[in-house]
């Protein structure tokens, strides 16, 4: 991928996490338990490390590595919320956990599984964390068809360890469904609200309390040395002759 | 490389404003234009733009290492002698740089050619880094572009990382200064301040006019706080000649961009690079205007060493001036061979190829009616087609 994995700005918080999963985007949306064909990759969803190993589809070593990679990636990847209740509104009760991101305390949905893509040609594999399905009001606006938005039917399904039909979401808000007994996945549409719901607008900017989301303005100058200014205005005169100092 | 028409997002103006990008329309004219997009193949991006950008940056760094040793070069580039040690020491100390933008002529057929390097105060950053990025995500989500499309644009990620590394991971207060009455400059600075906060730094924005000096010759802000690290969206060549310029060498401020960037943010760089690497596939033949070799150039462009936003530029074809722009910039000039740019009915496009901490970081495209890209140019998004 040649673009940023996420973009956040103070004005509105996290814009979005890039849809980093080209394998998902190109896989056919069908519940074929054998394979998602067509691009030389097989995409597999597992609810836990143990389930990955038990399934014996990829080697235990791949399960270990990819699960670890997904866990490590999950703080960066997951939508972030300043308050626990906002996260739970989106993902359901007891589905969120605290985390530290760039020095700020945030809440993120707890990892509910891992999506592993393995190359059918060789040993190459990639993974990304999966989260509980989004149950928040934004996910299921009134009148939206459950065919388009499978998560609307799955409020109680959770992403947990069940081997029956279950739903997950990705960091970018895409829905992943996994059908009974099978590990193949099908793909829901991305949410209509492509801009993330995250409410984290700022990330750790205060030296005195790293780990606390800052709500104050950016000019916390308490700990900085001051001096006595004897003269001002010695810079800026040239700009008055021109329209811009940028280029 | 292909220019295509695309349906605009119905809500893009509202989005732009909520993102803090109010100058999407300037003087009633559209500046951000998403009715058009440029499509690239991954090969074009990686081989024709990304790799040459990395190579050009290395060439520039090699030039700085050489230039600081030669008074003749420093003189030719117009660096006042009182700042020679200041510039030299910033390089020898390894002062880190943040970003820069190479303007490239590229038509998809022949190698990209460097027109100039905006190494010191580049703008059009937010639209390239953020708004272009979210445009692609929105287009893919809405089905306007195929899922699996990509974009050469890791600007945001790299800026956050580079800002964190400016003081080798230490926490610090970053002051960011720009001209008080320029909204566009202020927006660039606000975005960089935002990136800095995401990197865990404290930030404070201020008008450059507000900077003060204390009795010990140290720079202060409007609240008398000492300025230790200063991002200045204000050209070195202006700082050098203004009243407080004489305090620069003794101040213990770390500057972003560092003083050694003064050697690169001049069109005088073009003939210098050509001399260092003659016939490099990504360089255009260039000479200082007083060099007799200018006569050998054929169709050519004349530019003052320090003009901005396409001011005071003359295009000469078949011995006659075919286009020129007004402006207030004079002084020494260079002459550069005319490069083939991407053409479309009614205009030309040039590629702004970004580096962050000297690594290639993405592109932004600007289109303008004539051969000269001015402040009237429109910013047009791009994407890379899926494999």
């Amino acid at each position: 991928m040649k673009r940023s994995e996420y973009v956040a700005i103070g004005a509105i918080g996290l814009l979005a996490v890039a849809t980093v999963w080209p394998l998902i985007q190109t896989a056919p949306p069908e519940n074929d338990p054998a394979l998602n064909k067509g691009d030389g990759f097989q995409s597999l969803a597992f609810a836990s490390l143990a389930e990955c190993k038990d399934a014996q589809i990829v080697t235990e070593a791949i399960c270990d590595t990819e699960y670890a990679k997904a866990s490590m990636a999950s703080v960066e990847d997951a939508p972030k919320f300043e308050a626990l209740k906002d996260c739970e509104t989106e993902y359901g009760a007891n589905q969120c956990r605290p985390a530290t991101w760039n020095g700020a305390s945030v809440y993120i949905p707890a990892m509910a599984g891992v999506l592993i893509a393995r190359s059918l040609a060789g040993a190459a594999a990639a993974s990304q964390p999966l989260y509980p399905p989004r149950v928040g009001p934004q996910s299921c606006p009134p009148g939206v068809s459950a065919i388009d938005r499978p998560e609307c039917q799955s409020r109680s399904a959770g992403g947990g360890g069940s081997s029956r039909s279950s739903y997950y979401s990705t960091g970018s808000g895409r829905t992943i469904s996994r059908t009974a007994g099978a590990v193949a996945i099908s793909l829901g549409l991305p949410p209509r609200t492509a801009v993330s719901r995250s409410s984290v607008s700022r990330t750790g900017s205060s030296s005195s309390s790293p780990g606390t989301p800052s709500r104050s303005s950016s000019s916390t100058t308490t700990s900085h040395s001051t001096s006595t200014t004897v003269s001002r205005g010695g810079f800026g005169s040239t700009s008055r002759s021109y329209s811009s100092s940028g280029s | 490389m292909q220019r295509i028409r695309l349906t605009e997002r119905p809500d893009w103006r509202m989005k732009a404003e909520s993102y803090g990008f109010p100058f999407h329309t300037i003087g009633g004219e559209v500046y951000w234009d998403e009715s058009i997009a440029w499509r690239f193949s991954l090969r074009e991006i990686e081989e024709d733009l990304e790799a040459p950008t990395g190579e050009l940056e290395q060439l520039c760094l090699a030039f700085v290492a050489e230039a600081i040793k030669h008074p003749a070069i420093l003189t030719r580039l117009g660096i006042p002698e009182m700042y020679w040690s200041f510039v030299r020491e910033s390089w020898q100390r390894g002062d880190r740089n943040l970003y820069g933008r190479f303007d490239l002529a590229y038509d998809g057929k022949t190698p990209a050619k460097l027109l100039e390097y905006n190494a010191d105060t580049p703008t059009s950053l937010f639209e390239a880094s953020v708004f272009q990025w979210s445009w692609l995500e929105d287009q893919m989500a809405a089905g306007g572009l195929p899922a699996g499309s990509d974009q050469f644009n890791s600007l945001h990620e790299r800026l956050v990382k580079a800002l964190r590394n400016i003081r080798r991971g230490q926490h610090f207060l970053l002051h960011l200064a720009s001209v008080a009455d320029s909204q566009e400059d202020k927006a660039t600075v606000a975005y960089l301040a935002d990136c800095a906060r995401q990197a865990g730094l404290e930030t404070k924005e201020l008008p450059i006019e507000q900077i003060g000096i204390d009795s010990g010759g140290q720079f202060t802000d409007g609240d008398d706080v000492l300025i230790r690290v200063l991002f200045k969206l204000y050209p070195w060549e202006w700082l050098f000649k203004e009243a407080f310029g004489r305090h620069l060498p003794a101040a213990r401020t770390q500057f972003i961009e560092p003083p050694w960037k003064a050697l690169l943010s001049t069109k005088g760089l073009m003939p210098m690079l050509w001399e260092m690497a003659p016939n490099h596939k990504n360089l255009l033949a260039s000479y200082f205007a007083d060099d007799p070799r200018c006569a050998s150039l054929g169709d050519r462009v004349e530019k003052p060493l320090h003009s901005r936003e396409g001011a005071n530029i003359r295009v000469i074809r078949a011995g006659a001036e075919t286009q020129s722009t007004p402006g207030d910039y004079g002084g020494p000039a260079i002459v550069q061979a005319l490069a083939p740019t991407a053409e479309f009915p009614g205009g030309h496009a040039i590629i702004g190829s970004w580096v962050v901490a000297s690594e290639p970081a993405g592109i932004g495209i600007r289109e303008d009616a004539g051969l000269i890209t001015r402040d009237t140019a429109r910013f047009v998004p791009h994407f890379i087609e899926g494999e």
Side-chain angles (χ1 to χ4, degrees):
Chain A
M1 194 169 74
K2 315 281 307 171
R3 69 187 190 281
S4 299
E5 288 184 11
Y6 75 95
V7 167
I9 53 171
I12 48 168
L14 194 68
L15 281 189
V17 174
T19 43
V20 284
W21 203 246
L23 308 174
I24 287 176
Q25 291 158 0
T26 53
E30 60 187 4
N31 294 333
D32 178 355
L35 289 179
N36 290 313
K37 295 188 187 69
D39 53 8
F41 275 88
Q42 182 181 24
S43 298
L44 310 160
F46 299 106
S48 65
L49 181 56
E51 198 185 280
C52 179
K53 291 181 176 178
D54 288 348
Q56 302 208 322
I57 296 171
V58 294
T59 65
E60 294 200 359
I62 290 181
C63 289
D64 279 328
T65 330
E66 296 305 322
Y67 198 87
K69 267 161 52 184
S71 306
M72 275 159 56
S74 92
V75 172
E76 201 64 55
D77 169 78
K80 292 151 194 82
F81 298 85
E82 211 163 341
L84 177 61
K85 74 168 168 35
D86 294 335
C87 184
E88 294 196 330
T89 304
E90 194 74 27
Y91 289 92
N94 305 317
Q95 301 288 358
C96 294
R97 69 175 183 87
T100 304
W101 183 60
N102 286 347
S105 287
V106 296
Y107 290 90
I108 60 172
M111 199 167 128
V114 62
L115 187 62
I116 296 181
R118 68 159 184 172
S119 152
L120 298 176
S127 59
Q128 78 175 64
L130 292 175
Y131 308 98
R134 295 167 54 223
V135 299
Q138 298 96 320
S139 324
C140 304
V144 168
S145 157
I147 295 164
D148 284 351
R149 312 286 288 273
E151 72 274 19
C152 293
Q153 288 187 325
S154 63
R155 285 172 174 275
S156 58
S162 163
S163 61
R164 296 180 304 116
S165 176
S166 51
Y167 295 99
Y168 302 89
S169 63
T170 65
S172 57
R174 208 169 275 267
T175 300
I176 304 275
S177 68
R178 195 180 75 143
T179 47
V183 286
I185 58 159
S186 74
L187 309 163
L189 294 170
R192 291 282 180 272
T193 49
V195 168
S196 165
R197 297 67 46 202
S198 167
S199 60
V200 175
S201 59
R202 303 266 331 283
T203 56
S205 67
S206 164
S207 60
S208 51
S209 55
T212 308
S214 170
R215 285 178 190 79
S216 63
S217 82
S218 55
S219 49
T220 334
T221 54
T222 46
S223 61
H224 303 289
S225 335
T226 55
S227 182
T228 306
T229 303
V230 294
S231 168
R232 276 189 210 288
F235 284 135
S237 57
T238 320
S239 71
R240 286 192 278 279
S241 328
Y242 303 103
S243 64
S244 172
S245 49
S247 51
Chain B
M1 182 189 191
Q2 198 183 4
R3 186 179 190 261
I4 62 164
R5 293 208 160 271
L6 212 59
T7 308
E8 300 180 23
R9 294 168 295 172
D11 59 346
W12 73 260
R13 283 178 186 80
M14 201 188 74
K15 269 197 169 142
E17 273 154 37
S18 72
Y19 289 10
F21 176 39
F23 49 98
H24 55 73
T25 307
I26 301 171
E29 298 285 324
V30 66
Y31 165 63
W32 167 266
D33 184 358
E34 65 175 62
S35 67
I36 301 293
W38 286 86
R39 174 171 60 210
F40 291 86
S41 69
L42 187 59
R43 191 206 63 78
E44 288 169 331
I45 292 289
E46 292 189 331
E47 294 174 22
D48 293 352
L49 296 171
E50 185 179 24
T53 297
E55 211 174 300
L56 288 168
E57 176 75 355
Q58 289 311 310
L59 205 55
C60 288
L61 298 180
F63 168 70
V64 175
E66 200 52 33
I68 54 167
K69 298 182 216 155
H70 299 283
I73 296 179
L74 298 171
T75 306
R76 193 63 147 145
L77 294 179
I79 311 291
E81 191 172 349
M82 64 180 289
Y83 300 112
W84 289 0
S85 313
F86 179 58
V87 168
R88 192 180 293 133
E89 282 160 17
S90 84
W91 173 260
Q92 287 162 343
R93 206 166 41 229
D95 282 1
R96 298 194 180 200
N97 77 107
L98 180 61
Y99 76 144
R101 194 191 72 228
F102 291 98
D103 284 344
L104 304 176
Y106 176 61
D107 61 3
K109 298 189 271 283
T110 50
K113 300 286 189 189
L114 178 60
L115 298 170
E116 60 185 66
Y117 186 15
N118 298 289
D120 189 16
T121 58
T123 52
S124 81
L125 179 65
F126 179 87
E127 45 275 43
S129 173
V130 177
F131 209 58
Q132 175 174 235
W133 188 95
S134 72
W135 163 85
L136 178 69
E137 292 293 326
D138 287 349
Q139 285 291 357
M140 287 198 292
L145 287 174
S149 302
D150 201 356
Q151 190 172 77
F152 180 29
N153 174 16
S154 53
L155 275 163
H156 185 81
E157 228 164 62
R158 288 179 186 273
L159 286 167
V160 171
K161 200 169 134 197
L163 283 158
R164 194 181 288 142
N165 289 337
I166 289 267
R167 298 269 271 198
R168 296 171 174 82
Q170 280 175 280
H171 180 85
F172 62 92
L173 168 66
L174 175 68
H175 281 89
L176 303 101
S178 63
V179 174
D181 59 7
S182 167
Q183 287 310 311
E184 192 194 343
D185 290 0
K186 252 188 187 158
T188 300
V189 159
Y191 172 57
L192 283 169
D194 201 335
C195 291
R197 290 191 294 270
Q198 291 177 44
L201 309 181
E202 275 181 68
T203 62
K204 193 168 176 180
E205 292 154 54
L206 76 162
I208 193 126
E209 296 86 347
Q210 209 180 68
I211 291 177
I213 196 87
D214 73 6
S215 54
Q218 300 304 307
F219 292 117
T220 58
D221 68 17
D223 300 316
D224 286 351
V225 174
L226 288 169
I227 299 177
R228 301 287 192 205
V229 188
L230 177 67
F231 173 90
K232 40 108 217 135
L233 193 66
Y234 199 79
W236 275 116
E237 72 268 15
W238 293 0
L239 294 170
F240 285 162
K241 65 183 184 192
E242 293 184 358
F244 280 177
R246 63 194 168 87
H247 297 295
L248 287 165
R252 287 185 298 275
T253 300
Q254 178 179 350
F255 293 94
I256 308 169
E257 298 299 316
W260 56 261
K261 279 282 186 100
L263 303 177
L264 300 177
S265 63
T266 154
K267 293 177 185 69
L269 176 68
M270 300 299 110
M272 295 288 181
L273 291 182
W274 184 249
E275 191 155 315
M276 229 176 99
N279 303 311
H280 187 289
K281 71 176 178 12
N282 302 116
L283 293 177
L284 291 164
S286 310
Y287 304 104
F288 285 93
D290 57 9
D291 189 320
R293 286 174 294 181
C294 290
S296 68
L297 285 177
D299 290 353
R300 60 192 190 271
V301 182
E302 274 185 34
K303 318 169 174 186
L305 249 52
H306 286 123
S307 91
R308 292 174 187 281
E309 303 201 314
N312 297 95
I313 299 210
R314 297 202 317 139
V315 178
I316 294 141
R317 294 179 114 155
E321 182 180 302
T322 57
Q323 196 188 349
S324 67
T325 49
D328 307 318
Y329 299 91
I334 65 147
V335 182
Q336 186 177 54
L338 189 67
T341 51
E343 278 184 76
F344 55 87
H348 292 261
I350 63 153
I351 316 270
S353 187
W354 293 91
V355 281
V356 173
S358 293
E359 302 271 357
I363 57 170
I365 297 174
R366 281 169 307 149
E367 293 187 352
D368 209 339
L371 275 172
I372 303 167
T373 303
R374 292 158 298 168
D375 58 355
T376 53
R378 287 165 302 118
F379 192 101
V380 178
H382 84 280
F383 66 99
I384 308 172
E385 62 197 356
E387 292 287 272

